[in-house]
Amino acid sequence: MSAPTLAAGGRGQRAPVRPARVLLHVFLACTALAWLAPLLWAMFSALRPYGETSAKGYVSWPDTLNFDNFKNAFEQSDMTHYFVNTLLIAVPAVLLTLFLSSMVAFYVSRFDFRVNLALLLVFTAGNLLPQQVIITPLYRMYLLTDLPGITASGKLYDSALGLVLIHVAFQSGFCAFVLSNYMRSLPHELTEAALVDGASVWRLYWQITLPLCKPAMAALATLLSIWIYNDFFWALVLISTGENMPITSALNNLSGQYFTDPNLVASGALLTAIPTLVVYFALQRQFVSGLTLGANKG
Amino acid sequence: MNTETTTKSPEAASVPPPGAASAPKRAARGHRRLLTRRDRFTLALMAGVPTVLHVALVWATALASIALAFTTWDGIGFGSIKWVGLQNFHQLFADNPQFWPAVQHNVIWFVVLILIPTPFGLFLAVQLDKNIRFSRVYQTAFFLPVVISMACIGFVWQLVYNPDTGLINSLIGANKPGHYIDWIGDPKLNLWAVLVAASWRHTGYMMILYLAGLKGIDPSLREASALDGANEWQTFKHVIFPTLRPTNTVVLVVTIIESLRAFDLVFVFNKGAQGTELLSILVTNNIIGESSRIGYGSAIAVVLLVISLVVIIPYLVATFRKERRS
């Protein structure tokens, strides 16, 4: 954004140092530091051995700082296993959500069927509901759905498949809304010409529309990966075996065991946050644009 | 489903001349006339499969919640479902000692989020929108909590609040037996302690939404207001804030829904015991707790559903009306 000429300092570095600007930086730097304080505190605790903190107290000058707690948390809690569980849920869920919701979006944005508005409303509203509104019947439904041989539990309950399905169903509301807005902004002539040339509807979707939606799809994929990775509630209720849990709910399950050692819990919690932080720092732009693209998300 | 599309007026049949800026509506109609049987079938599948999945898992279960709220059921076989009318609701409103506190806490949750982190997020966004140096560094610091899972945030704040090893008590010297301030256990304190953590996260979220809103404002508006001699505060009050109206609506809806959904943080903190009851926690306790009272749990879910719909419906009506106009 070009700075208005009258606002002095708008040009950033070249503007003369103004006291107001300095004050603003001091304020922002202090606030930012305060904002990071809980995370830095967790990091500090995680880096210290339990023996030292219990002898000297938590607020004390550290004698030793090392990654032993991280190593122990990682090994003792079998974290690799839970990371894999999460991947087995998140990867199919993200791909399937994007696939299904882009088809709905294509349907409602490129044609003018009478049901379009209603259809989009159903999807969008569904995504805005609090999860607890639907959990009781869903839980029963998952328990009653027998899938012998398909899932390890023999039911939809306590299976990765069950979690994938609910993530897809729930999140596709948001994605359909965002993608349909996006597709509506594409020129109609594109698909029209192809249709006149005899291209099938599938081709219009797969070869013409989808490639144009790459930016929106990338933004949504980033957002969905972080949301689904961070999910706690669905896994808590719909998974009963500790073995099958994704990382966030597994940590909750395990933290009881480490009750006496907060340093270990701190390192475990920070370890679970690493993948989301990596995704965020690598794809920051996509993440933020996705969030504001469909700002109606609750 | 959805293949039943009625053919419309013949004027739509005329294919618009190539290159002409045709109204999208008309072009779409042109599309439809060219669809073969096979295309219609493909389209029906494309919309049908996702819709069936979404409706079956989200809307059918929401309706089932409503139905089950008027019954008792032990969950073993459908035979044991018994119609009890309004009994569950009656019990909920009159006898449940946790219900009204939960409603109250949900309301407090919303009031706190809208009064503290939301304006603060707006304030930060306005400051960061001034093209200052290190803007991205500051943004990242404020936004980081939004990226981390709520469960993880719960663990991190427990380290701050822990009575004998936590940061606060250690700093103020309240970590000796007999002098404890039990931030998580004390029913008078714990809701506020959780709300600090929730606000911590919400600020960053609001900041990003407002930043996006501010980026969309035409710079000439500011210029004009500066030419008229308005100072920074006057410009914000009379020019910037009114133009942020669409963002404000989104922020309001997001905040209400977030306060109705609030769950993870409280669950990790103290499982919603004494002092931090929330509607979402009451519903969940009926499922994962020892006593599975399905009808009763559903009745609480219906209360949550009704409150949510009061917000969701007007919002969607407004959004879609605007969309249809454009």
Side-chain angles (χ1 to χ4, degrees), chain B residues 85-163:
Chain B
L86 289 171
Q87 191 194 304
N88 288 326
F89 289 98
H90 189 262
Q91 214 179 355
L92 191 60
F93 296 147
D95 297 337
N96 189 321
Q98 292 182 304
F99 178 74
W100 290 111
V103 173
Q104 200 190 343
H105 296 156
N106 272 102
V107 172
I108 292 176
W109 198 284
F110 166 71
V111 171
V112 168
L113 286 193
I114 204 77
L115 287 185
I116 299 164
T118 306
F120 191 52
L122 172 61
F123 175 72
L124 289 177
V126 170
Q127 303 311 317
L128 291 171
D129 192 43
K130 288 179 182 164
N131 272 335
I132 55 168
R133 292 179 86 179
F134 314 121
S135 174
R136 288 203 82 81
V137 179
Y138 298 135
Q139 271 183 49
T140 306
F142 298 128
F143 194 64
L144 220 48
V146 186
V147 183
I148 299 171
S149 75
M150 284 286 212
C152 185
I153 289 176
F155 288 118
V156 167
W157 279 86
Q158 271 185 325
L159 299 169
V160 174
Y161 286 134
N162 196 305

Coordinates of all heavy atoms in Angstrom, one line a residue, chain B residues 85-163:
Chain B
G85 N -41.0 -36.4 26.3 CA -41.4 -35.0 26.2 C -40.4 -34.0 26.6 O -39.2 -34.1 26.3
L86 N -40.8 -33.1 27.5 CA -39.9 -32.0 27.9 C -39.1 -32.3 29.1 O -38.5 -31.4 29.7 CB -40.7 -30.7 28.0 CG -41.2 -30.1 26.8 CD1 -42.2 -28.9 27.1 CD2 -40.1 -29.6 25.9
Q87 N -39.2 -33.5 29.6 CA -38.6 -33.8 30.9 C -37.1 -33.5 31.0 O -36.7 -32.9 32.0 CB -38.8 -35.3 31.1 CG -38.5 -35.8 32.5 CD -38.4 -37.3 32.6 OE1 -39.3 -38.0 32.2 NE2 -37.2 -37.8 33.0
N88 N -36.4 -33.8 29.9 CA -35.0 -33.5 29.9 C -34.7 -32.0 30.1 O -33.8 -31.6 30.9 CB -34.3 -33.9 28.6 CG -34.2 -35.4 28.5 OD1 -34.0 -36.1 29.6 ND2 -34.3 -36.0 27.3
F89 N -35.5 -31.2 29.4 CA -35.3 -29.7 29.5 C -35.7 -29.2 30.8 O -35.1 -28.4 31.4 CB -36.1 -29.0 28.4 CG -35.6 -29.3 27.0 CD1 -36.1 -30.2 26.2 CD2 -34.5 -28.5 26.6 CE1 -35.6 -30.5 24.9 CE2 -34.0 -28.8 25.3 CZ -34.5 -29.7 24.5
H90 N -36.8 -29.8 31.4 CA -37.3 -29.4 32.7 C -36.2 -29.6 33.7 O -35.9 -28.8 34.5 CB -38.6 -30.2 33.0 CG -39.2 -29.6 34.2 ND1 -39.1 -30.2 35.5 CD2 -40.0 -28.5 34.4 CE1 -39.7 -29.5 36.4 NE2 -40.3 -28.5 35.7
Q91 N -35.6 -30.8 33.6 CA -34.6 -31.2 34.6 C -33.4 -30.3 34.4 O -32.8 -29.9 35.4 CB -34.2 -32.7 34.3 CG -33.8 -33.4 35.5 CD -33.5 -34.9 35.1 OE1 -33.6 -35.3 33.9 NE2 -33.0 -35.6 36.1
L92 N -33.1 -30.0 33.2 CA -31.9 -29.2 32.9 C -32.0 -27.8 33.5 O -31.2 -27.3 34.2 CB -31.7 -29.1 31.3 CG -30.5 -28.5 30.8 CD1 -29.3 -29.4 31.3 CD2 -30.5 -28.5 29.3
F93 N -33.2 -27.2 33.2 CA -33.4 -25.8 33.6 C -33.6 -25.7 35.1 O -33.2 -24.7 35.8 CB -34.6 -25.2 32.9 CG -34.4 -25.1 31.4 CD1 -35.5 -25.2 30.5 CD2 -33.1 -24.8 30.9 CE1 -35.3 -25.1 29.2 CE2 -32.9 -24.7 29.5 CZ -34.0 -24.8 28.7
A94 N -34.3 -26.7 35.7 CA -34.7 -26.6 37.1 C -33.7 -27.3 38.1 O -33.4 -26.7 39.2 CB -36.1 -27.2 37.3
D95 N -33.2 -28.4 37.7 CA -32.4 -29.2 38.7 C -30.9 -29.3 38.5 O -30.2 -29.6 39.4 CB -32.9 -30.7 38.7 CG -34.4 -30.8 39.1 OD1 -34.8 -29.8 39.8 OD2 -35.1 -31.7 38.7
N96 N -30.4 -29.0 37.3 CA -29.0 -29.2 37.1 C -28.2 -28.0 37.7 O -28.3 -26.9 37.2 CB -28.7 -29.4 35.6 CG -27.3 -29.8 35.3 OD1 -26.4 -29.3 36.0 ND2 -27.1 -30.7 34.4
P97 N -27.4 -28.3 38.7 CA -26.7 -27.2 39.3 C -25.6 -26.6 38.4 O -25.0 -25.6 38.7 CB -26.0 -27.8 40.5 CG -25.9 -29.3 40.2 CD -27.1 -29.6 39.3
Q98 N -25.2 -27.3 37.3 CA -24.2 -26.9 36.4 C -24.7 -26.1 35.3 O -23.9 -25.4 34.6 CB -23.4 -28.1 35.9 CG -22.6 -28.8 37.0 CD -21.8 -29.9 36.4 OE1 -22.3 -30.8 35.8 NE2 -20.5 -29.9 36.6
F99 N -26.0 -26.2 34.9 CA -26.5 -25.6 33.7 C -26.4 -24.1 33.6 O -25.8 -23.5 32.8 CB -27.9 -26.1 33.4 CG -28.5 -25.5 32.2 CD1 -28.0 -25.9 30.9 CD2 -29.4 -24.5 32.2 CE1 -28.5 -25.3 29.8 CE2 -29.9 -23.9 31.1 CZ -29.5 -24.3 29.8
W100 N -27.0 -23.5 34.6 CA -27.0 -22.0 34.6 C -25.6 -21.4 34.7 O -25.3 -20.4 34.0 CB -28.0 -21.4 35.6 CG -29.4 -21.7 35.1 CD1 -30.3 -22.5 35.7 CD2 -30.1 -21.2 33.9 NE1 -31.5 -22.6 35.0 CE2 -31.4 -21.8 33.9 CE3 -29.7 -20.3 32.9 CZ2 -32.3 -21.5 32.8 CZ3 -30.6 -20.1 31.9 CH2 -31.9 -20.7 31.9
P101 N -24.8 -22.0 35.6 CA -23.4 -21.5 35.6 C -22.7 -21.6 34.2 O -22.0 -20.7 33.8 CB -22.7 -22.3 36.6 CG -23.8 -22.8 37.5 CD -25.0 -22.9 36.7
A102 N -23.0 -22.7 33.6 CA -22.4 -22.9 32.2 C -22.8 -21.9 31.3 O -22.0 -21.3 30.5 CB -22.7 -24.3 31.7
V103 N -24.2 -21.6 31.3 CA -24.7 -20.5 30.4 C -24.0 -19.2 30.7 O -23.5 -18.5 29.8 CB -26.2 -20.4 30.5 CG1 -26.7 -19.2 29.7 CG2 -26.9 -21.7 30.1
Q104 N -24.0 -18.9 32.0 CA -23.3 -17.7 32.4 C -21.9 -17.6 32.0 O -21.4 -16.6 31.5 CB -23.4 -17.7 34.0 CG -23.3 -16.3 34.6 CD -23.2 -16.4 36.1 OE1 -23.5 -17.4 36.7 NE2 -22.7 -15.3 36.7
H105 N -21.2 -18.7 32.1 CA -19.7 -18.7 31.7 C -19.6 -18.5 30.2 O -18.6 -17.8 29.8 CB -19.0 -20.0 32.2 CG -19.0 -20.1 33.7 ND1 -18.9 -21.3 34.3 CD2 -19.1 -19.2 34.7 CE1 -18.9 -21.2 35.6 NE2 -19.0 -19.9 35.8
N106 N -20.4 -19.1 29.5 CA -20.4 -18.9 28.0 C -20.6 -17.4 27.7 O -19.9 -16.9 26.8 CB -21.4 -19.7 27.3 CG -20.9 -21.1 26.9 OD1 -21.2 -22.1 27.6 ND2 -20.1 -21.2 25.9
V107 N -21.5 -16.8 28.4 CA -21.8 -15.4 28.2 C -20.6 -14.5 28.6 O -20.2 -13.7 27.8 CB -23.1 -14.9 28.9 CG1 -23.2 -13.4 28.8 CG2 -24.3 -15.6 28.4
I108 N -20.0 -14.8 29.8 CA -18.9 -14.1 30.2 C -17.7 -14.3 29.2 O -17.0 -13.3 28.9 CB -18.4 -14.6 31.6 CG1 -19.4 -14.3 32.7 CG2 -17.0 -14.1 32.0 CD1 -19.1 -14.8 34.0
W109 N -17.6 -15.5 28.7 CA -16.5 -15.8 27.7 C -16.6 -14.8 26.5 O -15.7 -14.2 26.1 CB -16.7 -17.2 27.3 CG -15.5 -17.8 26.6 CD1 -15.0 -17.6 25.3 CD2 -14.5 -18.7 27.2 NE1 -13.9 -18.3 25.1 CE2 -13.6 -19.0 26.2 CE3 -14.4 -19.3 28.4 CZ2 -12.5 -19.9 26.4 CZ3 -13.4 -20.2 28.6 CH2 -12.4 -20.5 27.6
F110 N -17.9 -14.7 26.0 CA -18.1 -13.8 24.9 C -17.8 -12.3 25.3 O -17.2 -11.6 24.6 CB -19.5 -14.0 24.4 CG -19.9 -12.8 23.4 CD1 -19.4 -12.8 22.2 CD2 -20.8 -11.9 23.8 CE1 -19.7 -11.7 21.3 CE2 -21.2 -10.8 23.0 CZ -20.6 -10.8 21.7
V111 N -18.4 -11.9 26.4 CA -18.3 -10.5 26.8 C -16.8 -10.1 27.0 O -16.3 -9.1 26.5 CB -19.0 -10.2 28.1 CG1 -18.7 -8.8 28.6 CG2 -20.5 -10.4 27.9
V112 N -16.0 -11.0 27.6 CA -14.6 -10.7 27.8 C -13.9 -10.7 26.4 O -13.1 -9.7 26.2 CB -13.9 -11.8 28.7 CG1 -12.4 -11.7 28.7 CG2 -14.4 -11.6 30.1
L113 N -14.2 -11.7 25.6 CA -13.5 -11.7 24.3 C -13.8 -10.4 23.4 O -12.9 -9.9 22.7 CB -13.8 -12.9 23.5 CG -13.2 -14.3 23.9 CD1 -13.4 -15.3 22.8 CD2 -11.8 -14.2 24.2
I114 N -15.0 -10.0 23.5 CA -15.4 -8.9 22.6 C -14.9 -7.5 23.2 O -14.7 -6.6 22.5 CB -16.9 -8.8 22.4 CG1 -17.3 -8.1 21.1 CG2 -17.7 -8.2 23.5 CD1 -17.0 -8.8 19.8
L115 N -14.8 -7.5 24.6 CA -14.4 -6.2 25.2 C -12.9 -6.0 25.3 O -12.4 -4.9 25.4 CB -15.1 -6.1 26.6 CG -16.5 -5.8 26.6 CD1 -17.0 -5.6 28.0 CD2 -16.9 -4.6 25.7
I116 N -12.1 -7.1 25.5 CA -10.7 -6.9 25.7 C -9.8 -7.3 24.5 O -9.2 -6.4 23.9 CB -10.3 -7.6 27.0 CG1 -11.0 -6.9 28.2 CG2 -8.7 -7.4 27.2 CD1 -11.0 -7.7 29.4
P117 N -9.8 -8.6 24.1 CA -8.8 -8.9 23.0 C -9.3 -8.3 21.6 O -8.4 -8.0 20.8 CB -8.8 -10.4 22.9 CG -9.9 -10.9 23.7 CD -10.3 -9.8 24.6
T118 N -10.6 -8.1 21.4 CA -11.0 -7.6 20.1 C -10.6 -6.2 19.9 O -9.9 -5.9 18.9 CB -12.5 -7.8 20.0 OG1 -12.8 -9.2 20.2 CG2 -13.0 -7.5 18.6
P119 N -10.9 -5.3 20.8 CA -10.4 -3.9 20.6 C -8.9 -3.9 20.6 O -8.3 -3.1 19.8 CB -10.9 -3.1 21.8 CG -12.1 -3.9 22.3 CD -11.8 -5.3 22.0
F120 N -8.2 -4.7 21.4 CA -6.8 -4.7 21.5 C -6.2 -5.2 20.1 O -5.2 -4.6 19.6 CB -6.3 -5.5 22.6 CG -4.8 -5.3 22.9 CD1 -4.3 -4.1 23.1 CD2 -3.9 -6.4 23.0 CE1 -2.9 -3.9 23.3 CE2 -2.6 -6.3 23.2 CZ -2.1 -5.0 23.3
G121 N -6.8 -6.2 19.6 CA -6.4 -6.7 18.3 C -6.5 -5.6 17.2 O -5.7 -5.4 16.3
L122 N -7.7 -4.9 17.3 CA -7.9 -3.8 16.3 C -6.8 -2.7 16.5 O -6.2 -2.2 15.5 CB -9.3 -3.2 16.6 CG -9.6 -1.9 15.8 CD1 -9.6 -2.1 14.3 CD2 -11.0 -1.4 16.2
F123 N -6.5 -2.4 17.8 CA -5.5 -1.4 18.1 C -4.1 -1.8 17.5 O -3.5 -1.0 16.8 CB -5.4 -1.2 19.6 CG -4.3 -0.3 20.0 CD1 -4.4 1.1 19.8 CD2 -3.1 -0.8 20.6 CE1 -3.4 2.0 20.2 CE2 -2.1 0.1 21.0 CZ -2.2 1.5 20.8
L124 N -3.8 -3.1 17.7 CA -2.5 -3.5 17.2 C -2.5 -3.5 15.7 O -1.5 -3.1 15.0 CB -2.2 -5.0 17.6 CG -1.9 -5.2 19.1 CD1 -1.8 -6.7 19.4 CD2 -0.6 -4.5 19.5
A125 N -3.6 -3.9 15.1 CA -3.7 -3.9 13.6 C -3.5 -2.5 13.1 O -2.8 -2.2 12.1 CB -5.0 -4.4 13.2
V126 N -4.1 -1.5 13.7 CA -4.0 -0.1 13.3 C -2.5 0.4 13.4 O -2.0 1.0 12.5 CB -4.9 0.9 14.1 CG1 -4.6 2.3 13.8 CG2 -6.4 0.6 13.8
Q127 N -1.9 0.0 14.5 CA -0.5 0.4 14.6 C 0.4 -0.3 13.6 O 1.3 0.3 13.0 CB 0.1 0.0 16.0 CG -0.7 0.6 17.2 CD -1.0 2.1 17.0 OE1 -0.1 2.8 16.6 NE2 -2.2 2.5 17.3
L128 N 0.1 -1.6 13.3 CA 1.0 -2.3 12.4 C 0.7 -2.0 10.9 O 1.5 -2.3 10.0 CB 0.8 -3.8 12.6 CG 1.3 -4.4 13.9 CD1 0.9 -5.8 14.1 CD2 2.9 -4.3 13.9
D129 N -0.4 -1.3 10.7 CA -0.8 -0.9 9.4 C -0.1 0.4 8.9 O -0.2 0.8 7.8 CB -2.3 -0.7 9.3 CG -2.8 -0.6 7.9 OD1 -2.3 -1.4 7.0 OD2 -3.6 0.3 7.6
K130 N 0.7 0.9 9.9 CA 1.4 2.2 9.6 C 2.7 2.1 8.8 O 3.5 3.0 8.8 CB 1.7 3.0 10.9 CG 0.4 3.5 11.5 CD 0.8 4.2 12.8 CE -0.4 4.7 13.6 NZ -0.1 5.0 15.0
N131 N 2.9 1.0 8.1 CA 4.1 0.8 7.3 C 5.4 0.9 8.2 O 6.3 1.6 7.8 CB 4.2 1.8 6.2 CG 3.5 1.3 5.0 OD1 3.4 0.1 4.8 ND2 3.0 2.2 4.2
I132 N 5.4 0.4 9.4 CA 6.5 0.5 10.2 C 7.5 -0.6 10.0 O 7.1 -1.7 9.4 CB 6.2 0.5 11.7 CG1 5.4 -0.7 12.1 CG2 5.4 1.8 12.0 CD1 5.2 -0.9 13.5
R133 N 8.7 -0.5 10.4 CA 9.7 -1.5 10.3 C 9.4 -2.7 11.2 O 8.7 -2.5 12.2 CB 11.1 -1.0 10.6 CG 11.6 0.0 9.6 CD 13.0 0.5 10.0 NE 14.0 -0.3 9.5 CZ 15.3 -0.1 9.8 NH1 15.7 0.9 10.5 NH2 16.2 -0.9 9.3
F134 N 9.9 -3.8 10.9 CA 9.7 -5.0 11.7 C 8.3 -5.4 11.9 O 7.9 -6.2 12.8 CB 10.3 -4.9 13.1 CG 11.7 -4.3 13.1 CD1 12.0 -3.1 13.8 CD2 12.7 -4.9 12.4 CE1 13.2 -2.6 13.9 CE2 14.0 -4.4 12.5 CZ 14.3 -3.2 13.2
S135 N 7.4 -4.9 11.0 CA 6.0 -5.1 11.2 C 5.7 -6.6 11.2 O 4.9 -7.2 12.0 CB 5.3 -4.5 10.0 OG 3.9 -4.8 10.1
R136 N 6.4 -7.4 10.3 CA 6.2 -8.8 10.2 C 6.6 -9.5 11.5 O 6.0 -10.5 11.9 CB 6.9 -9.4 9.0 CG 6.3 -9.0 7.7 CD 6.7 -10.0 6.6 NE 5.8 -11.1 6.7 CZ 4.6 -11.2 6.1 NH1 4.1 -10.1 5.6 NH2 3.9 -12.3 6.2
V137 N 7.7 -9.1 12.1 CA 8.2 -9.7 13.3 C 7.1 -9.6 14.4 O 6.7 -10.5 15.1 CB 9.5 -9.1 13.8 CG1 10.0 -9.7 15.1 CG2 10.6 -9.2 12.7
Y138 N 6.6 -8.3 14.6 CA 5.6 -8.1 15.6 C 4.3 -9.0 15.3 O 3.8 -9.6 16.1 CB 5.1 -6.6 15.6 CG 6.3 -5.7 16.0 CD1 6.5 -4.5 15.3 CD2 7.1 -5.9 17.1 CE1 7.5 -3.6 15.7 CE2 8.1 -5.1 17.4 CZ 8.3 -3.9 16.7 OH 9.3 -3.0 17.1
Q139 N 3.9 -8.9 14.0 CA 2.7 -9.7 13.6 C 2.9 -11.2 14.0 O 2.0 -11.8 14.5 CB 2.6 -9.6 12.1 CG 1.7 -8.5 11.6 CD 1.6 -8.5 10.1 OE1 1.2 -9.6 9.5 NE2 1.8 -7.4 9.4
T140 N 4.1 -11.7 13.7 CA 4.3 -13.1 14.0 C 4.2 -13.4 15.5 O 3.6 -14.4 15.9 CB 5.7 -13.6 13.4 OG1 5.7 -13.2 12.1 CG2 5.9 -15.0 13.6
A141 N 4.8 -12.5 16.3 CA 4.7 -12.7 17.7 C 3.3 -12.7 18.2 O 2.9 -13.6 19.0 CB 5.5 -11.6 18.4
F142 N 2.4 -11.8 17.7 CA 1.1 -11.8 18.2 C 0.2 -12.9 17.6 O -0.7 -13.3 18.2 CB 0.4 -10.4 17.8 CG 1.1 -9.2 18.4 CD1 1.5 -8.2 17.7 CD2 1.3 -9.2 19.8 CE1 2.1 -7.1 18.3 CE2 1.9 -8.2 20.4 CZ 2.3 -7.1 19.6
F143 N 0.6 -13.4 16.4 CA -0.2 -14.4 15.8 C 0.2 -15.8 16.1 O -0.6 -16.7 15.9 CB -0.1 -14.2 14.2 CG -1.2 -14.9 13.5 CD1 -2.5 -14.6 13.7 CD2 -0.9 -15.9 12.7 CE1 -3.5 -15.3 13.0 CE2 -1.9 -16.6 12.0 CZ -3.2 -16.3 12.2
L144 N 1.3 -16.0 16.7 CA 1.8 -17.3 17.0 C 0.8 -18.2 17.8 O 0.6 -19.4 17.4 CB 3.2 -17.3 17.7 CG 4.2 -18.3 17.3 CD1 4.4 -18.4 15.8 CD2 5.5 -18.0 17.9
P145 N 0.2 -17.6 18.8 CA -0.7 -18.5 19.6 C -1.9 -19.0 18.8 O -2.5 -20.0 19.1 CB -1.3 -17.5 20.7 CG -0.2 -16.5 20.8 CD 0.4 -16.3 19.4
V146 N -2.3 -18.3 17.7 CA -3.4 -18.8 16.9 C -3.0 -20.1 16.1 O -3.9 -20.9 15.8 CB -3.9 -17.7 15.9 CG1 -5.1 -18.1 15.2 CG2 -4.1 -16.4 16.6
V147 N -1.7 -20.2 15.8 CA -1.3 -21.4 15.1 C -1.2 -22.6 15.9 O -1.4 -23.8 15.4 CB 0.1 -21.1 14.4 CG1 0.5 -22.2 13.5 CG2 0.0 -19.8 13.7
I148 N -0.9 -22.4 17.2 CA -0.7 -23.6 18.1 C -2.1 -24.1 18.5 O -3.0 -23.4 18.7 CB 0.1 -23.1 19.3 CG1 1.5 -22.6 18.8 CG2 0.3 -24.2 20.3 CD1 2.3 -21.9 19.9
S149 N -2.1 -25.4 18.8 CA -3.4 -26.0 19.1 C -3.8 -25.5 20.5 O -3.0 -25.2 21.4 CB -3.3 -27.5 19.1 OG -2.6 -28.0 20.3
M150 N -5.1 -25.4 20.7 CA -5.7 -25.0 22.0 C -5.3 -25.9 23.1 O -5.0 -25.5 24.2 CB -7.2 -25.0 21.9 CG -7.8 -23.9 21.1 SD -7.7 -22.4 22.1 CE -9.2 -21.6 21.5
A151 N -5.1 -27.2 22.8 CA -4.7 -28.2 23.8 C -3.3 -27.8 24.3 O -3.0 -27.8 25.5 CB -4.8 -29.6 23.3
C152 N -2.4 -27.5 23.3 CA -1.1 -27.2 23.6 C -1.0 -25.9 24.4 O -0.3 -25.7 25.4 CB -0.3 -27.0 22.3 SG 1.5 -26.7 22.6
I153 N -1.9 -24.9 24.1 CA -2.0 -23.6 24.8 C -2.4 -23.9 26.3 O -1.8 -23.3 27.2 CB -3.0 -22.7 24.1 CG1 -2.4 -22.2 22.8 CG2 -3.3 -21.5 25.0 CD1 -3.3 -21.3 22.0
G154 N -3.3 -24.9 26.4 CA -3.7 -25.3 27.8 C -2.5 -25.8 28.6 O -2.3 -25.3 29.7
F155 N -1.7 -26.6 28.0 CA -0.5 -27.1 28.7 C 0.5 -26.0 29.0 O 1.0 -25.9 30.1 CB 0.3 -28.1 27.9 CG -0.5 -29.4 27.8 CD1 -0.9 -29.9 26.6 CD2 -0.7 -30.2 28.9 CE1 -1.6 -31.1 26.5 CE2 -1.4 -31.4 28.9 CZ -1.8 -31.9 27.6
V156 N 0.7 -25.1 28.1 CA 1.7 -24.0 28.3 C 1.2 -23.1 29.4 O 2.0 -22.7 30.3 CB 1.8 -23.2 27.0 CG1 2.6 -21.9 27.2 CG2 2.6 -24.0 25.9
W157 N -0.1 -22.8 29.4 CA -0.6 -21.9 30.5 C -0.7 -22.5 31.9 O -0.6 -21.9 32.9 CB -1.9 -21.2 30.1 CG -1.7 -20.1 29.2 CD1 -1.5 -20.1 27.8 CD2 -1.5 -18.7 29.6 NE1 -1.3 -18.9 27.3 CE2 -1.3 -18.0 28.4 CE3 -1.5 -18.0 30.8 CZ2 -1.0 -16.6 28.4 CZ3 -1.3 -16.6 30.8 CH2 -1.0 -15.9 29.6
Q158 N -0.8 -23.9 31.8 CA -0.7 -24.6 33.1 C 0.7 -24.3 33.8 O 0.8 -24.3 35.0 CB -0.9 -26.0 32.9 CG -2.4 -26.4 33.0 CD -2.6 -27.9 32.9 OE1 -1.9 -28.6 32.2 NE2 -3.6 -28.4 33.6
L159 N 1.7 -24.2 33.0 CA 3.0 -24.0 33.5 C 3.1 -22.6 34.1 O 3.9 -22.4 35.0 CB 4.1 -24.1 32.4 CG 4.2 -25.5 31.7 CD1 5.1 -25.3 30.5 CD2 4.8 -26.5 32.6
V160 N 2.3 -21.7 33.6 CA 2.3 -20.4 34.1 C 1.5 -20.3 35.4 O 1.9 -19.6 36.4 CB 1.7 -19.4 33.1 CG1 1.6 -18.0 33.7 CG2 2.6 -19.3 31.8
Y161 N 0.4 -21.1 35.5 CA -0.5 -21.0 36.6 C -0.3 -22.0 37.7 O -0.9 -21.9 38.8 CB -2.0 -21.2 36.1 CG -2.5 -20.0 35.3 CD1 -3.2 -20.2 34.1 CD2 -2.4 -18.8 35.8 CE1 -3.7 -19.2 33.4 CE2 -2.9 -17.7 35.1 CZ -3.6 -17.9 33.9 OH -4.1 -16.8 33.3
N162 N 0.5 -23.0 37.4 CA 0.7 -24.1 38.4 C 1.0 -23.5 39.8 O 1.8 -22.6 40.0 CB 1.9 -24.9 38.0 CG 1.9 -26.3 38.7 OD1 1.9 -26.3 40.0 ND2 1.8 -27.3 38.0
P163 N 0.3 -24.0 40.9 CA 0.4 -23.3 42.2 C 1.8 -23.4 42.8 O 2.3 -22.4 43.3 CB -0.5 -24.1 43.1 CG -1.3 -25.0 42.2 CD -0.7 -25.0 40.8

